[in-house]
């Protein structure tokens, strides 16, 4: 997954967590709704300045927008050790 896709996933997650529409996010970041939608669909790359504006709109560190999310690891041996996982 490239950084455009990582940012798109993180933006969508944060936007839903904060119960924001793309229009509300765009207004907070002083960006067009169309541009926010394009970033969220990974069609365009955001500049560092735009990354900062979006982070500020979300009230998060800019790194949160480009940090890949770790997927939970489920190993067979862990489920064998803990019968509740079965």
């Amino acid at each position: 997954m490239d950084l455009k896709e990582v940012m798109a996933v993180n933006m969508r997650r944060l936007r839903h967590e904060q119960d924001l529409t793309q229009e509300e996010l765009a207004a907070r970041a002083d960006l067009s709704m169309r541009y926010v939608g394009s970033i969220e669909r990974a069609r365009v790359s955001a500049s560092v300045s735009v990354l900062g504006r979006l982070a500020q709109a979300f009230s998060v560190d800019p790194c949160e927008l480009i940090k890949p999310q770790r997927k939970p690891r489920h190993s067979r041996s862990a489920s064998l050790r803990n019968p509740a996982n079965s």
Side-chain angles (χ1 to χ4, degrees):
M1 189 179 309
D2 70 19
L3 279 180
K4 279 193 312 190
E5 292 169 353
V6 170
M7 186 168 173
V9 168
N10 288 333
M11 277 182 63
R12 202 166 22 259
R13 177 182 51 78
L14 286 166
R15 192 170 59 74
H16 288 288
E17 285 175 0
Q18 296 184 20
D19 198 27
L20 295 170
T21 65
Q22 285 183 349
E23 187 174 16
E24 291 166 331
L25 176 59
R28 283 186 182 189
D30 196 26
L31 298 167
S32 78
M33 189 175 73
R34 178 175 274 174
Y35 186 49
V36 167
S38 293
I39 297 169
E40 201 171 284
R41 287 187 304 280
R43 294 212 172 136
V44 298
S45 295
S47 68
V48 174
S49 298
V50 169
L51 174 67
R53 287 162 66 176
L54 288 166
Q56 189 171 25
F58 282 124
S59 298
V60 298
D61 187 279
C63 295
E64 291 301 311
L65 288 169
I66 57 171
K67 183 166 72 172
Q69 297 298 304
R70 289 185 174 205
K71 293 182 182 176
R73 293 173 63 163
H74 293 88
S75 69
R76 181 165 162 70
S77 61
S79 64
L80 292 176
R81 285 191 303 266
N82 186 353
N85 288 341
S86 300

